[in-house]
Amino acid sequence: MMKQLLLSLFSALLVFFLHCTTTLAQSPAVSPALPPVVLSPPQPPALSPVQLPVPSPPQPPALSPIQIPLLSPALSPGPAPSSANVTAILEKAGKFNTLIWLLGNTKVGDQINTQISTSGQGITLFAPNDKAFSRLKSGTLNALSTHQTIQLVQFHVLPTCISLSQFQAVSNPLRTQAGLSDSFLLNVTASSSNQVSISTGLVNATVTANLYTDNQLAVYEVDKVLLPLQVFSPKSPAPAPVPSSSPPPPPSPQHHRPSSITSVDDSSATSLIRHAALSFGVAAIAAFSL
């Protein structure tokens, strides 16, 4: 039994020895090759771009502001002249035959066309239609002198072009072409709805239509003829004579002359004598002739 134990121990040692010998005889394992490390050359530090100062352009010397005189409204350029023709406008409307005749007869129509086409000054015309003229008393126009007829037509003309909306801001009274600043004036009022009313002091008229409007000419139809006070004002009757409070003067003394009766009697007697003498002579001549 002892033998067997030693044999087992020897066998175990032999196995251990062989194992150690085999392990030591083996070459050490080679680790896998690592990729070569490529060393990049050192980079120089990045330089920030140098901001070079940009030279500013030379500044011109400061100029003092030029004082430009403002143009007064009278010298400021006005609107361009108009090529409209007032007579053609009324003829196109078709119910202004009397006004057209008056504009032609008084030459006011030519004056309006010349003014708006050459001078650039605006014109506003209130145009009564034929029905408005027919309401006048018979013979009214024929009773006017030539000068009064011209004044009547010019009384319907304003020396500036006014639109319907501008009538709300006008300052009354308005001057017309018929007179100076203190005569032949019109009062014109307008509502917020552009309803325009005209008063002459004798007539109250209303604008019923806008016939034509541009920057130089405005033509409005009115329902009545505008009668100026200076031409159609009612004449007051002559005042009655005022009775005198002083007593009547005494009758002047009369010179005494022979009574007319006496004179008549004397002349009658003389006629009778002459008649009797003539009769006696005739009778005597007749007696002698017998």
Side-chain angles (χ1 to χ4, degrees):
M1 178 160 184
M2 189 66 178
K3 245 178 179 182
Q4 293 178 351
L5 180 60
L6 289 173
L7 183 60
S8 298
L9 180 62
F10 178 76
S11 298
L13 289 174
L14 181 62
V15 172
F16 177 75
F17 177 76
L18 292 173
H19 177 71
C20 291
T21 302
T22 304
T23 303
L24 291 174
Q26 293 177 352
S27 62
V30 180
S31 61
L34 298 175
V37 178
V38 179
L39 298 177
S40 59
Q43 298 293 331
L47 298 177
S48 60
V50 179
Q51 299 293 333
L52 297 177
V54 179
S56 59
Q59 298 294 329
L63 299 176
S64 59
I66 300 175
Q67 300 294 331
I68 300 177
L70 298 177
L71 296 177
S72 62
L75 299 179
S76 59
S82 173
S83 60
N85 184 290
V86 65
T87 304
I89 294 171
L90 295 174
E91 288 176 347
K92 183 178 180 181
K95 51 181 176 179
F96 297 92
N97 295 324
T98 304
L99 181 59
I100 292 172
W101 179 83
L102 287 172
L103 289 172
N105 191 45
T106 60
K107 306 300 182 182
V108 175
D110 294 338
Q111 295 173 3
I112 293 175
N113 293 330
T114 301
Q115 184 169 338
I116 64 177
S117 62
T118 59
S119 65
Q121 298 178 2
I123 287 292
T124 299
L125 172 65
F126 296 116
N129 52 35
D130 292 334
K131 188 175 181 180
F133 280 102
S134 67
R135 294 194 186 102
L136 295 176
K137 185 184 297 185
S138 178
T140 298
L141 296 180
N142 294 332
L144 299 177
S145 64
T146 301
H147 181 65
Q148 289 174 330
T149 304
I150 295 174
Q151 288 179 324
L152 173 64
V153 178
Q154 291 179 334
F155 191 57
H156 293 73
V157 181
L158 303 181
T160 182
C161 181
I162 305 177
S163 65
L164 287 176
S165 59
Q166 290 175 333
F167 279 116
Q168 299 181 17
V170 296
S171 178
N172 286 306
L174 299 180
R175 184 174 66 89
T176 67
Q177 293 281 62
L180 301 176
S181 58
D182 58 348
S183 62
F184 292 91
L185 305 177
L186 290 175
N187 287 308
V188 182
T189 57
S191 64
S192 57
S193 59
N194 290 336
Q195 182 69 34
V196 179
S197 300
I198 309 166
S199 176
T200 71
L202 291 176
V203 174
N204 295 321
T206 303
V207 173
T208 56
N210 181 2
L211 301 179
Y212 181 87
T213 303
D214 62 12
N215 59 352
Q216 282 292 289
L217 177 64
V219 182
Y220 303 113
E221 179 182 357
V222 293
D223 59 350
K224 293 181 181 179
V225 180
L226 306 180
L227 304 180
L229 279 168
Q230 289 77 3
V231 177
F232 295 94
S233 59
K235 298 179 181 179
S236 58
V242 179
S244 177
S245 58
S246 60
S252 58
Q254 298 180 355
H255 298 286
H256 293 284
R257 292 182 296 181
S259 174
S260 59
I261 299 176
T262 306
S263 300
V264 171
D265 292 341
D266 293 343
S267 60
S268 300
T270 304
S271 299
L272 289 175
I273 294 173
R274 290 178 179 175
H275 182 70
L278 181 60
S279 299
F280 178 77
V282 171
I285 292 172
F288 284 112
S289 61
L290 293 175

